[in-house]
Amino acid sequence: MNNFIFTIPTTAYFGKGQINILGNTIKSHGGSKVLLAYGGGSIKANGIYDATVSQLNGAGISFVELNGIQPNPRIESVEEGIRIYRDNNCDFILGVGGGSTLDACKAIAAGVKYDGPVTDLFVDESGISSRITAVAPLATILTMAGTGSELDMGGVITVGEDHKKKVVLHPLLNPKFSILDPEYTYTVPEHHSMAGVADILCHLMEQYFTPDVAATVQDRMNEGVMKAVLEEAPKILADPQDYDARANIMWASSMALAGFQFVLGKPGFPFPLHGMGHELSSMYDMTHGVTLALLTPSWMRHTISTAPQQLPIFAQFARNVMGVSEKDDTIAAEAGIEALEAFYAAIKMPANLREAGVKEEDLEVMAEKAVENGNLGILTSIGKDEALQIMRMAF
């Protein structure tokens, strides 16, 4: 196992009624004028907005609002948030929503402390956003489980006319605290709930499928969380207000990327599926988790074919996570992939790219864009040709 540093500076307030700590906890972090950021109108329809405002008013905290943050958040929302924060002399940011809102808030938090354009702050060749030296304090109220942004240091922002996905990543971007109330996810539509499940599962798998460096603790913990996701997601389909199922999925989302714990001690930080999936979101504005479900089985088969020495990790996944009992690694690995495909079908993900509305003539452009900053992957190298093969297989 390689050396690593592990820290999670975010405090998680998990469970029913945790909104009641909001006002005083913001004050304890020095907040007196808050930028309250959120997406569409759902938090007003389900009462979360009123509960948030009541907490702020009760603690004597003034606030201004940034609303309308889109799924796959745009740089324009980030720039507007920076302007509002500065014009109103804010000293704290509160993001209320799912991963898109939280990601935008992280970019805002960095941008308000930087003199140049916020586009300077995306990940560079160092692997982090090295120009970030200070950020505004940030807290989050999570309303949809999936991205893990409530307990990690990264965010993804959509930039430019070609909707390119860019990443902000820095330890300073960990929220000061996050409120995680599973009841706040009851009203999330089924499709988005299950897309969040696919996102969680892919976060876990992309940390799992790395070269073997005897990181046994990380892998066994990861397997347990993956199994929990497989078990709990169908319960939400059966009953959207199953508190324990919602709680387990929410906590799995947070744990999947908490301090990037399951990739600690491993080589690299590959996430090739995210690299390709972002291009589907960019071109088709496709829900992030759906893109990952569409690509994962094809990526798995491609990797086994081009790097057969990696077969044992896929066979291990099949046995330890998907419940396959086959002793032969090749047969076991394929059975595991088929079981994963059956799970995606059970949670109502599209069966292939064609069914999801992708045009075959767009595949080559997306493959090229996916690797424009370098090849993807760590088990096997994915350049344009390999990305195109994977996408065609998924088509």
Side-chain angles (χ1 to χ4, degrees):
M1 192 191 308
N2 298 339
N3 293 359
F4 61 84
I5 298 171
F6 179 53
T7 180
I8 307 178
T10 302
T11 301
Y13 293 91
F14 189 96
K16 300 176 183 179
Q18 294 287 18
I19 190 70
N20 294 321
I21 60 90
L22 179 63
N24 288 335
T25 307
I26 289 176
K27 290 175 70 174
S28 74
H29 286 283
S32 61
K33 182 69 174 287
V34 169
L35 173 64
L36 172 60
Y38 54 95
S42 63
I43 68 166
K44 292 186 175 180
N46 58 26
I48 297 173
Y49 176 86
D50 288 343
T52 300
V53 169
S54 177
Q55 275 290 307
L56 296 175
N57 289 338
I61 298 171
S62 60
F63 65 94
V64 292
E65 297 187 19
L66 168 67
N67 58 33
I69 297 174
Q70 316 91 328
N72 300 311
R74 297 281 306 179
I75 190 68
E76 289 81 6
S77 288
V78 173
E79 292 167 341
E80 177 69 0
I82 292 170
R83 183 193 66 76
I84 294 172
Y85 185 100
R86 289 173 172 168
D87 287 352
N88 291 277
N89 297 311
C90 295
D91 54 20
F92 199 92
I93 300 172
L94 176 63
V96 184
S100 294
T101 295
L102 275 51
D103 284 5
C105 286
K106 289 179 180 178
I108 294 167
V112 299
K113 296 293 185 179
Y114 182 70
D115 289 337
V118 68
T119 50
D120 287 350
L121 302 181
F122 296 120
V123 167
D124 53 36
E125 56 276 359
S126 71
I128 64 168
S129 302
S130 61
R131 292 189 180 186
I132 295 177
T133 58
V135 305
L138 164 69
T140 77
I141 300 174
L142 186 64
T143 64
M144 192 178 93
T147 69
S149 194
E150 67 278 2
L151 217 64
D152 72 24
M153 62 178 183
V156 180
I157 306 298
T158 302
V159 180
E161 293 182 1
D162 63 349
H163 294 185
K164 187 66 180 177
K165 301 287 186 175
K166 299 289 187 178
V167 176
V168 289
L169 186 72
H170 196 281
L172 291 174
L173 293 175
N174 284 285
K176 295 297 184 184
F177 67 93
S178 290
I179 293 174
L180 311 174
D181 186 339
E183 291 185 323
Y184 283 6
T185 65
Y186 282 175
T187 57
V188 176
E190 179 182 275
H191 174 75
H192 289 95
S193 292
M194 294 302 106
V197 166
D199 195 9
I200 298 165
L201 199 56
C202 191
H203 290 159
L204 294 162
M205 287 190 288
E206 293 210 84
Q207 294 173 92
Y208 188 77
F209 292 121
T210 58
D212 183 10
V213 289
T216 305
V217 172
Q218 290 89 315
D219 284 345
R220 297 300 169 265
M221 291 171 65
N222 190 330
E223 288 168 357
V225 181
M226 285 191 279
K227 289 174 71 173
V229 171
L230 296 173
E231 293 167 3
E232 297 298 320
K235 298 177 185 177
I236 293 174
L237 282 176
D239 178 6
Q241 296 193 16
D242 183 328
Y243 178 84
D244 289 329
R246 289 284 192 182
N248 279 300
I249 291 296
M250 178 176 271
W251 193 232
S253 171
S254 299
M255 287 292 96
L257 291 180
F260 300 112
Q261 59 179 320
F262 297 132
V263 81
L264 295 175
K266 296 186 173 191
F269 193 73
F271 280 51
L273 287 161
H274 279 68
M276 291 182 286
H278 285 326
E279 299 310 324
L280 288 169
S281 292
S282 294
M283 183 165 287
Y284 289 95
D285 201 27
M286 194 180 296
T287 303
H288 175 58
V290 174
T291 72
L292 302 173
L294 287 166
L295 292 171
T296 299
S298 295
W299 170 81
M300 296 170 81
R301 291 188 173 104
H302 171 85
T303 303
I304 292 169
S305 174
T306 57
Q309 71 275 18
Q310 309 295 355
L311 176 64
I313 186 63
F314 292 97
Q316 176 180 283
F317 168 80
R319 296 183 185 111
N320 293 359
V321 179
M322 304 309 299
V324 173
S325 58
E326 175 59 51
K327 293 182 179 180
D328 180 87
D329 279 0
T330 300
I331 298 174
E334 176 58 28
I337 297 170
E338 291 173 359
L340 180 63
E341 289 174 321
F343 173 76
Y344 286 144
I347 63 170
K348 304 181 182 181
M349 293 294 100
N352 50 54
L353 294 178
R354 181 188 289 107
E355 183 180 304
V358 174
K359 298 177 181 177
E360 190 169 10
E361 58 265 30
D362 291 335
L363 297 182
E364 186 166 358
V365 172
M366 291 189 291
E368 184 173 7
K369 288 176 63 180
V371 299
E372 64 184 10
N373 294 321
N375 284 10
L376 304 172
I378 191 168
L379 292 179
T380 185
S381 181
I382 299 172
K384 176 190 172 182
D385 290 344
E386 291 78 16
L388 183 56
Q389 290 171 19
I390 292 167
M391 290 181 181
R392 281 178 173 161
M393 196 184 308
F395 187 78

